[in-house]
Amino acid sequence: MTTAPSAALANFERMLASGKDSALLRYALGNEHLKAGQAALAIDHLRIAVQLDPGYTAAWKLLGRALADAGHVDDALVAYREGIAVAGRKGDKQAGKEMQVFVRRLEKARAGGGT
C-alpha cells in the first residue's frame, strides 16, 4: 500500500534536486519512501546511501528492511549481514544485535516456507 508523499519527502526531493546529495539525505529519502509504502524507491536511495558511506550502519539496516518488505529476502540477508559487519567494526553493538534478529527471522520464515 502506498500513501501520499509527506511534506518531508517533498522537501528532501527538493534538496536532492538542488544538488545537495549525501548519504544522510539518501537515508532520509529512503526512510520517507518506505513509510509511504514505496519500497522500490526506498531501495534505490538506500543503495546510494551505502555507496556514499559504506560505514553507515543505519542505512544498511533500513536497506535490509526495504529489501525484505519488497520480497527480496536474499538481498535483504546480504544487506543485513553487511550491516552487521559494519556495526561490528564501528562498535555499534545495538544495531548489530537488531540486524542479527532480523536475519534470524528471515531465515526462519524462509525455512518455514514463508518469505
Side-chain angles (χ1 to χ4, degrees):
M1 181 175 113
T2 60
T3 60
S6 68
L9 179 58
N11 187 42
F12 294 145
E13 291 286 0
R14 279 192 299 274
M15 290 172 66
L16 183 62
S18 74
K20 297 179 181 177
D21 201 2
S22 70
L24 181 60
L25 178 58
R26 293 296 183 144
Y27 175 86
L29 282 162
N31 190 42
E32 290 299 318
H33 279 296
L34 197 57
K35 284 195 259 182
Q38 301 166 335
L41 290 170
I43 291 165
D44 291 342
H45 287 293
L46 293 165
R47 284 194 190 279
I48 293 170
V50 297
Q51 287 172 352
L52 291 171
D53 183 357
Y56 196 169
T57 309
W60 284 109
K61 186 170 87 170
L62 196 59
L63 175 58
R65 180 174 152 216
L67 288 162
D69 286 358
H72 304 297
V73 174
D74 290 337
D75 291 337
L77 289 168
V78 169
Y80 281 138
R81 288 182 179 126
E82 183 60 32
I84 290 165
V86 168
R89 288 192 296 271
K90 293 181 71 177
D92 192 352
K93 293 178 184 178
Q94 183 61 35
K97 287 179 184 178
E98 290 172 8
M99 287 184 275
Q100 288 172 350
V101 169
F102 299 144
V103 165
R104 283 194 298 273
R105 287 181 185 164
L106 286 175
E107 288 174 338
K108 184 177 178 182
R110 186 167 59 181
T115 52

